[in-house]
Amino acid sequence: MIGYLHPLSSILYPDERLFVSSSYCAFCQNLKKRKNNLARLFLSNDIIFFYSLFASCLNNFTFHVYPFYCYATMSNRFLIKDNGLLDYFTDFTLLFTSLKFYDNYIDSKFPKSFISNLISKFFFNSIKYINKNLSVENNDFFNSKTKKIFLLNNKCNKSSVNLEDEMLQLQSLFETILPLDLLPYSAKLQVSSIVSQTIRLLYIIDSIDDFENDLKKNKDNLILNYMDTPASQKDLQKKNSRDFVDFKLKDNRDVINKIEKMSTLSLNYCISQLENLRVYRFKHLLKHYFSDLIPLQLDRALNKNNIASRFIKS
């Protein structure tokens, strides 16, 4: 579910494109400064969404854009320096990287799964180190909450992953460790709801994208929870992908309609929350995720399963 939140530059305003690219470079440089160079190789654009969401709601958020020469890309680029929010969200880049390799661990076979699991735990453990500049109180709070993801890792194995529970736990984790206390009281619930619905949408995209591959490998897939259990399986509490090995998503209109309904409700909900949210900047950028980017990613996943686009209207 990592790597889908990559803004479409062609739709953004020039100042938004500059902010997105400069923020990405700033996170990369921040990881270098905090001595976790390996994480820079796996930096995800997903973090820009969460950073922009919080930055837009803070009246006292200030930032400046500075030019610099990037030796990694051998080009002149720009980076952002702000009044503290960037340092906090640098920790989340490691959480995203850890989740990315955990996802590879679930989807892969030995030895790739073993290596992915080790890398996932390495990046997760790095969160404690890279969070050293926060106060002791905040540091203890952050570490205690992020341990939930390890409890999730230890409870789940590759043959019995309940993705519905995993999604709910991840929603709870993000709602708990995001710096909601920095936001005005009136914005906390709305931002928390937007984050929760975004995670749900990412899980749906990832599940559609991997649907046929998961069935072939007998792995759990969130879409199976939206299917009617066959009569012969009514006594089972959990659907097994073996029962659907020859199933094609395109052949089940009811499932497709359920996916479309749930996704549309979540997209519209997020847009409505943004409309009602008092934001000081980046409103067009944030709406872009739910009006353009995520619908496009949903359609791409459906197209991969030979299903016509249903979210981006021509």
Side-chain angles (χ1 to χ4, degrees):
M1 56 162 285
I2 306 299
Y4 291 107
L5 297 179
H6 195 303
L8 304 171
S9 297
S10 59
I11 301 178
L12 299 180
Y13 297 148
D15 60 321
E16 293 172 338
R17 288 198 295 269
L18 178 62
F19 177 79
V20 169
S21 61
S22 301
S23 297
Y24 186 90
C25 289
F27 281 116
C28 183
Q29 290 293 310
N30 227 23
L31 286 170
K32 178 182 179 181
K33 182 178 70 174
R34 290 163 175 254
K35 307 196 186 307
N36 198 314
N37 286 306
L38 183 61
R40 299 171 69 197
L41 299 176
F42 306 103
L43 182 58
S44 171
N45 274 281
D46 298 57
I47 190 63
I48 305 298
F49 166 75
F50 295 93
Y51 179 57
S52 303
L53 180 60
F54 275 76
S56 68
C57 297
L58 296 173
N59 187 30
N60 61 347
F61 175 78
T62 59
F63 69 94
H64 300 280
V65 178
Y66 297 91
F68 78 104
Y69 184 78
C70 177
Y71 289 96
T73 61
M74 304 295 287
S75 62
N76 293 311
R77 300 183 67 88
F78 296 90
L79 62 81
I80 276 179
K81 293 185 179 179
D82 68 13
N83 56 341
L85 195 62
L86 189 73
D87 287 340
Y88 187 94
F89 277 95
T90 299
D91 296 305
F92 279 83
T93 67
L94 296 179
L95 179 58
F96 280 122
T97 305
S98 178
L99 290 171
K100 176 180 176 63
F101 280 99
Y102 175 66
D103 194 44
N104 291 340
Y105 159 68
I106 294 297
D107 291 338
S108 305
K109 295 181 179 180
F110 186 86
K112 185 178 179 180
S113 62
F114 177 77
I115 297 172
S116 296
N117 192 30
L118 288 179
I119 297 176
S120 175
K121 291 182 178 180
F122 167 76
F123 280 117
F124 186 85
N125 288 331
S126 298
I127 294 173
K128 296 180 181 180
Y129 170 76
I130 208 163
N131 204 40
K132 62 181 181 179
N133 289 339
L134 293 180
S135 67
V136 174
E137 180 181 356
N138 286 337
N139 198 30
D140 291 342
F141 171 80
F142 184 86
N143 292 331
S144 66
K145 298 304 179 184
T146 49
K147 283 179 182 176
K148 287 183 179 180
I149 198 68
F150 266 145
L151 293 176
L152 176 63
N153 288 9
N154 293 333
K155 287 179 181 177
C156 297
N157 57 61
K158 290 184 287 184
S159 61
S160 60
V161 180
N162 189 324
L163 292 181
E164 187 75 32
D165 290 343
E166 180 180 311
M167 178 179 67
L168 294 174
Q169 289 190 49
L170 191 59
Q171 286 175 327
S172 176
L173 173 68
F174 271 70
E175 291 173 9
T176 304
I177 66 177
L178 282 169
L180 293 173
D181 289 340
L182 297 177
L183 301 176
Y185 178 79
S186 59
K188 290 181 181 180
L189 181 59
Q190 289 166 299
V191 169
S192 177
S193 299
I194 291 171
V195 170
S196 180
Q197 291 301 316
T198 301
I199 293 172
R200 175 175 289 275
L201 286 164
L202 294 178
Y203 261 88
I204 292 174
I205 294 171
D206 195 53
S207 297
I208 300 171
D209 203 35
D210 296 338
F211 184 75
E212 290 191 7
N213 191 48
D214 285 343
L215 293 192
K216 290 178 181 178
K217 295 182 178 181
N218 190 35
K219 293 178 180 176
D220 192 25
N221 187 288
L222 189 64
I223 303 302
L224 296 181
N225 294 329
Y226 307 145
M227 298 173 58
D228 294 329
T229 308
S232 59
Q233 301 294 323
K234 289 292 183 181
D235 58 329
L236 297 181
Q237 294 181 351
K238 181 175 180 294
K239 304 179 185 71
N240 192 315
S241 57
R242 287 193 185 94
D243 300 320
F244 304 99
V245 67
D246 296 323
F247 180 84
K248 299 296 182 182
L249 190 58
K250 65 177 181 178
D251 296 331
N252 195 315
R253 186 176 298 275
D254 288 339
V255 175
I256 297 172
N257 289 337
K258 287 180 182 178
I259 293 171
E260 182 178 21
K261 182 178 180 180
M262 287 188 304
S263 300
T264 301
L265 284 173
S266 292
L267 289 168
N268 290 338
Y269 177 81
C270 290
I271 292 175
S272 67
Q273 291 298 301
L274 285 171
E275 289 288 354
N276 297 325
L277 188 65
R278 183 177 182 181
V279 297
Y280 297 93
R281 56 192 72 81
F282 311 135
K283 189 168 187 177
H284 176 265
L285 170 62
L286 293 172
K287 287 182 65 177
H288 156 72
Y289 283 97
F290 303 104
S291 61
D292 302 301
L293 178 62
I294 293 179
L296 177 63
Q297 297 288 12
L298 283 164
D299 276 345
R300 283 178 175 173
L302 290 173
N303 294 160
K304 187 176 179 180
N305 287 272
N306 298 313
I307 301 170
S309 299
R310 303 172 79 89
F311 295 94
I312 296 291
K313 307 301 181 183
S314 57

